[in-house]
Amino acid sequence: PAKTMDELVSLCKRRGFIFQGSEIYGGMQGAYDYGPLGIELKNNLKAAWWRAMVYERDDVEGLDAAIIQNKNVYKYSGHEDTFTDPMVDCHECKSRMRADHMKDIKVCDNCGSTNVTEPRDFNLMFKTNVGPMVNEESYTYLRPETAQGIFTNFKNVVDSTSRTLPFGIAQIGKSFRNEITPRNFIFRVREFEQMELEFFCKPGEDEKWHEFWVGARKQWWLDQGLAEENIEFEYVTGDDLAHYSKSTVDILYKFPHGFEELEGVANRTDYDLGSHTKAQEEFGLSAKVKQNEHSTAKLAIRDLEANKWEVPFCIEPSAGLDRGLLAVMTEAYTEEELPNGSTRTVLKFKPHLAPIKVAIMPLKKNKPEIVALAKELKNKLQKLGLGRILYENTGNVGKGYRRHDEVGTPICVTVDFDSIEKEGAPVTVRDRDTMEQIVVPAAELPAYVVNYFIN
Ligand code: ATP
């Protein structure tokens, strides 16, 4: 794994994974742009999540709710009142910082002075104006989590799919938080993506499902290549619990800057649906909610056995996509010493996550038959739908291998003189991790590649 953030940042920029946002204007703190390879990696990680959370289950539906929502969503969700971080100001160097890692004695992160203010609450939501009139009422917020769109669509999804408990709704999308001190590359940023599942179950079955999802989510991260020894659980208690949570287990990963939260799995009880439902008094809610004077929908489900309406409990595994990508890159980053004494940098991504699946390299870029066969193979492999297949026409195979090691391409295929002269058109297939090369007849390459990526 990567030992320092700097080596990751530098590789990400050099090879086109991640760039500082608004770089040509001096940057925008807490915002990053994903480059040609970053977008592929991100899409692959999202696809893996969606496959595991929606396609491979029979009890989850998908959703893509709007980022801008009625401001009442945040009034009743509790975000307007409580979605804050403690912040202190330093009297010496005039900087401002998040204080939640500071214990009894408060010390400035920037200059080390203890001459700082008492912590005060800072709301992390971005406020924005909606419509052409700017007045006291015309505001809303950019969503600070995707979850609320799921709760407000609960009735729509139940009515349109006839779901009964237990079932979940999954969503991936952007969230925004005006973090006081964004830092550690894409670990803490102001614009990021979340992959969230809200899993609804009967009250009383919540603890069982909570435990289930903690285990399932850890396993998923292992399946994305994270090593068991780099994952830890943290049981969040007392004051550290979010306003909606009965209990939370954070899944931590050993990032270059230490063990930090990668995903939170929270038992949100009946807080959210209870907050957003009309006729709250009918349900005997267990959570303490604000009295709702605006909702027009009953966010409850009919319990056929007990013959009554019930507000489900909700378990939420909430993962950060950017943090996930950072974890996957950290884990994949490998510096290897080769038998000849040189070193190579390899990103040992799981094949399904690799931004480029196969690179096809003609040995000679000015030999038409070689070029033609290489292009034909590229087109054939591209049609398999596995992701990006790169036709790499630099004519320098050694350099090509090194570059593709560094971006984690699992397979490189070279087309050489043998391929156009010998029977069966043999091409050379080189494996990223073992660096072993085998010869495969061109006609069998698609089957070889499918077999490699599907298993
Ligand atoms: P933290 O304590 O690190 O601020 P949190 O507990 O506020 O995180 P949650 O509200 O539980 O985070 O959000 C769920 C997930 O969303 C987190 O586990 C993380 O992966 C991701 N996430 C939250 N805030 C950010 C951020 N500012 N930048 C990147 N990812 C984030």
Side-chain angles (χ1 to χ4, degrees):
K3 288 184 205 68
T4 67
M5 201 69 95
D6 285 349
E7 56 195 6
L8 282 182
V9 173
S10 130
L11 185 141
C12 281
K13 167 142 198 200
R14 191 167 69 237
R15 294 302 189 187
F17 282 91
I18 301 167
F19 310 121
Q20 171 64 57
S22 313
E23 196 176 11
I24 66 165
Y25 289 110
M28 171 84 184
Q29 234 205 333
Y32 286 88
D33 299 338
Y34 287 80
L37 296 184
I39 175 66
E40 298 296 336
L41 179 56
K42 212 178 185 192
N43 282 344
N44 293 341
L45 198 56
K46 281 195 225 185
W49 189 88
W50 200 261
R51 204 159 52 230
M53 303 298 269
V54 183
Y55 297 162
E56 288 174 7
R57 298 192 61 89
D58 295 316
D59 54 2
V60 175
E61 301 285 350
L63 182 77
D64 183 29
I67 289 175
I68 41 174
Q69 298 166 34
N70 189 305
K71 60 178 175 291
N72 280 329
V73 171
Y74 304 106
K75 175 185 170 121
Y76 292 111
S77 70
H79 285 88
E80 208 164 46
D81 292 337
T82 60
F83 195 64
T84 57
D85 267 351
M87 176 173 75
V88 301
D89 287 64
C90 176
H91 292 302
E92 300 295 328
C93 70
K94 308 291 173 216
S95 57
R96 237 174 213 187
M97 69 219 73
R98 205 167 174 242
D100 58 356
H101 59 293
M102 298 180 189
K103 300 280 174 297
D104 299 339
I105 303 166
K106 312 267 180 290
V107 180
C108 174
D109 282 346
N110 192 38
C111 70
S113 164
T114 50
N115 188 8
V116 298
T117 61
E118 277 304 303
R120 63 189 188 285
D121 288 340
F122 175 76
N123 195 299
L124 298 177
M125 286 196 293
F126 281 101
K127 201 168 186 175
T128 190
N129 186 70
V130 183
M133 304 291 278
V134 180
N135 60 40
E136 296 230 310
E137 284 304 302
S138 64
Y139 69 92
T140 189
Y141 305 95
L142 299 185
R143 68 181 180 197
E145 58 174 28
T146 68
Q148 296 307 318
I150 295 179
F151 301 128
T152 56
N153 277 291
F154 179 79
K155 184 169 158 45
N156 287 332
V157 174
V158 170
D159 288 353
S160 57
T161 63
S162 309
R163 283 287 177 187
T164 53
L165 296 178
F167 80 99
I169 304 177
Q171 176 167 231
I172 301 177
K174 288 251 170 159
S175 292
F176 302 83
R177 295 183 188 179
N178 193 9
E179 295 283 353
I180 301 164
T181 27
R183 60 176 48 166
N184 292 317
F185 196 29
I186 53 169
F187 178 82
R188 184 178 303 288
V189 282
R190 293 187 171 133
E191 172 176 345
F192 54 98
E193 272 181 273
Q194 289 182 310
M195 308 185 287
E196 297 194 297
L197 172 73
E198 305 304 325
F199 193 83
F200 302 102
C201 62
K202 281 180 188 288
E205 294 184 358
D206 53 312
E207 288 178 14
K208 181 189 88 184
W209 280 110
H210 191 204
E211 205 181 305
F212 168 82
W213 280 110
V214 169
R217 294 304 306 152
K218 177 181 175 189
Q219 183 55 49
W220 186 83
W221 286 112
L222 294 174
D223 295 342
Q224 307 319 305
L226 303 192
E228 175 105 45
E229 72 261 25
N230 294 334
I231 296 179
E232 275 180 7
F233 289 145
E234 184 171 84
Y235 298 84
V236 186
T237 52
D239 283 353
D240 291 333
L241 274 176
H243 62 272
Y244 49 73
S245 180
K246 167 174 159 187
S247 68
T248 294
V249 178
D250 284 344
I251 302 176
L252 314 185
Y253 176 73
K254 193 177 179 190
F255 290 98
H257 61 289
F259 272 101
E260 293 259 22
E261 176 178 339
L262 171 63
E263 168 160 357
V265 188
N267 182 345
R268 297 179 75 130
T269 70
D270 54 5
Y271 176 83
D272 303 278
L273 293 179
S275 293
H276 289 303
T277 189
K278 72 173 183 186
Q280 288 164 315
E281 60 292 343
E282 288 176 19
F283 302 113
L285 294 172
S286 85
K288 225 168 88 203
V289 298
K290 200 186 206 108
Q291 192 181 344
N292 195 316
E293 287 149 9
H294 293 89
S295 173
T296 59
K298 199 157 156 176
L299 305 183
I301 208 160
R302 189 97 191 138
D303 179 340
L304 295 175
E305 278 160 35
N307 198 24
K308 62 170 188 167
W309 287 91
E310 194 167 59
V311 174
F313 267 41
C314 177
I315 307 301
E316 175 197 69
S318 169
L321 178 58
D322 310 73
R323 278 188 198 180
L325 191 143
L326 184 61
V328 164
M329 285 206 79
T330 302
E331 189 76 49
Y333 188 95
T334 312
E335 301 240 359
E336 258 175 17
E337 196 164 329
L338 301 178
N340 68 6
S342 65
T343 56
R344 67 164 188 159
T345 305
V346 203
L347 289 182
K348 294 194 168 177
F349 292 131
K350 288 271 181 185
H352 71 281
L353 295 179
I356 299 169
K357 301 302 180 200
V358 182
I360 310 240
M361 305 192 264
L363 187 70
K364 286 266 177 265
K365 56 179 170 183
N366 49 11
K367 182 86 184 155
E369 296 96 317
I370 291 185
V371 167
L373 178 58
K375 284 194 169 159
E376 185 193 322
L377 288 175
K378 138 93 206 196
N379 290 337
K380 275 199 179 135
L381 295 188
Q382 196 61 65
K383 290 206 175 85
L384 299 174
L386 297 166
R388 188 149 191 216
I389 312 291
L390 205 72
Y391 171 72
E392 179 83 72
N393 191 13
T394 54
N396 185 333
V397 171
K399 264 198 178 151
Y401 286 163
R402 266 195 302 283
R403 182 168 48 251
H404 283 288
D405 282 347
E406 248 197 22
V407 303
T409 308
I411 293 177
C412 287
V413 176
T414 33
V415 179
D416 57 19
F417 287 102
D418 275 2
S419 317
I420 55 168
E421 284 163 5
K422 286 200 176 159
E423 204 178 323
V427 296
T428 305
V429 175
R430 187 247 193 198
D431 181 273
R432 176 194 70 198
D433 296 342
T434 63
M435 296 192 291
E436 271 166 23
Q437 305 187 3
I438 57 163
V439 172
V440 175
E444 286 171 27
L445 186 65
Y448 177 90
V449 168
V450 166
N451 190 46
Y452 182 94
F453 283 99
I454 303 300
N455 290 317

